[in-house]
Amino acid sequence: GAGVSQSPRYKVAKRGQDVALRCDPISGHVSLFWYQQALGQGPEFLTYFQNEAQLDKSGLPSDRFFAERPEGSVSTLKIQRTQQEDSAVYLCASSLGGEGTQYFGPGTRLLVL
Amino acid sequence: QKEVEQDPGPLSVPEGAIVSLNCTYSNSAFQYFMWYRQYSRKGPELLMYTYSSGNKEDGRFTAQVDKSSKYISLFIRDSQPSDSATYLCAMSGASNTGKLIFGQGTTLQVKP
């Protein structure tokens, strides 16, 4: 079956622009996670959804970051007024729930100029 | 001080060597321990998943967890050039969300 997909795969934005990153999880997966991976670092947790409920957003670095999953399936991570420090790979992962295995998408590579 | 520490390497070994990768952690609440492999410009791919202390073997890969020492290891036997990648340790169980806390990743190169 299909894995986790993300789009776009690459995004170049000018500083100050808003961007929207999309994640299509594996069908039937209840849990959805967003992570940010800076160059040469491990992924860092941003936010977590259980179905449509955002249960943990403690990792979002500022109020410019916003995530939603309105129907409990596709999720969008939005970054407003992008800054150079937002340049990173944004990874989405989904799981059946709880402490189940997380399956990662290929990531969206964001470059803010 | 990060919750999970991992030597970034790079680690270079000849084909056929045994590779040892490891991580230390500080949060004793972690209960689930994972190793992910990440190829360049790809997402992490799960290699091993272990609950609590003990060993787990899968083909050429063996994962060990020592909770008393807060230390986990991944061993790769008969390493192949295709094993060249970044290896990330990850842990969870300290929260009720399943979120993963990752190490920095170790870059491994296996030379033919």
Side-chain angles (χ1 to χ4, degrees):
Chain A
V4 178
S5 61
Q6 293 185 246
S7 60
R9 291 293 313 278
Y10 302 92
K11 177 70 179 176
V12 179
K14 291 183 180 178
R15 189 162 56 93
Q17 278 186 331
D18 297 349
V19 298
L21 313 180
R22 177 186 168 108
C23 173
D24 282 85
I26 295 172
S27 177
H29 278 195
V30 169
S31 297
L32 186 145
F33 301 81
W34 284 98
Y35 295 86
Q36 180 190 58
Q37 187 173 23
L39 189 64
Q41 301 295 316
E44 292 197 357
F45 170 79
L46 293 177
T47 188
Y48 161 68
F49 289 87
Q50 184 177 67
N51 295 306
E52 68 278 5
Q54 187 175 21
L55 298 185
D56 186 346
K57 53 182 180 179
S58 62
L60 296 177
S62 76
D63 58 8
R64 296 186 295 104
F65 287 71
F66 172 77
E68 60 183 5
R69 192 185 185 197
E71 297 179 356
S73 178
V74 171
S75 177
T76 303
L77 176 66
K78 298 178 179 178
I79 309 173
Q80 297 176 324
R81 305 181 303 281
T82 52
Q83 304 294 312
Q84 285 187 322
E85 61 263 28
D86 300 334
S87 296
V89 176
Y90 290 86
L91 294 164
C92 175
S94 70
S95 76
L96 284 171
E99 296 290 347
T101 299
Q102 292 186 28
Y103 296 89
F104 283 80
T108 294
R109 188 174 297 268
L110 173 65
L111 177 63
V112 181
L113 301 176
Chain B
Q1 187 83 14
K2 292 187 174 183
E3 278 190 286
V4 180
E5 298 281 354
Q6 183 177 9
D7 186 337
L11 181 62
S12 182
V13 301
E15 183 176 353
I18 296 174
V19 176
S20 173
L21 305 168
N22 53 73
C23 291
T24 59
Y25 62 95
S26 57
N27 191 340
S28 58
F30 288 136
Q31 300 178 59
Y32 303 90
F33 304 90
M34 288 136 274
W35 286 95
Y36 282 84
R37 178 174 62 195
Q38 186 173 29
Y39 291 113
S40 180
R41 299 185 181 274
K42 302 287 187 182
E45 168 196 13
L46 182 68
L47 281 177
M48 302 290 282
Y49 185 109
T50 309
Y51 171 68
S52 194
S53 285
N55 293 358
K56 186 173 183 179
E57 187 174 322
D58 184 1
R60 296 184 297 111
F61 298 91
T62 299
Q64 291 184 350
V65 175
D66 182 347
K67 289 190 72 178
S68 63
S69 300
K70 297 190 181 68
Y71 186 89
I72 71 170
S73 301
L74 177 71
F75 297 95
I76 307 173
R77 291 183 297 281
D78 187 26
S79 56
Q80 302 295 311
S82 58
D83 295 329
S84 299
T86 295
Y87 290 79
L88 296 155
C89 63
M91 307 176 190
S92 68
S95 72
N96 60 359
T97 64
K99 71 180 181 184
L100 299 178
I101 307 300
F102 283 88
Q104 184 177 352
T106 300
T107 299
L108 171 67
Q109 183 180 26
V110 181
K111 295 184 176 180

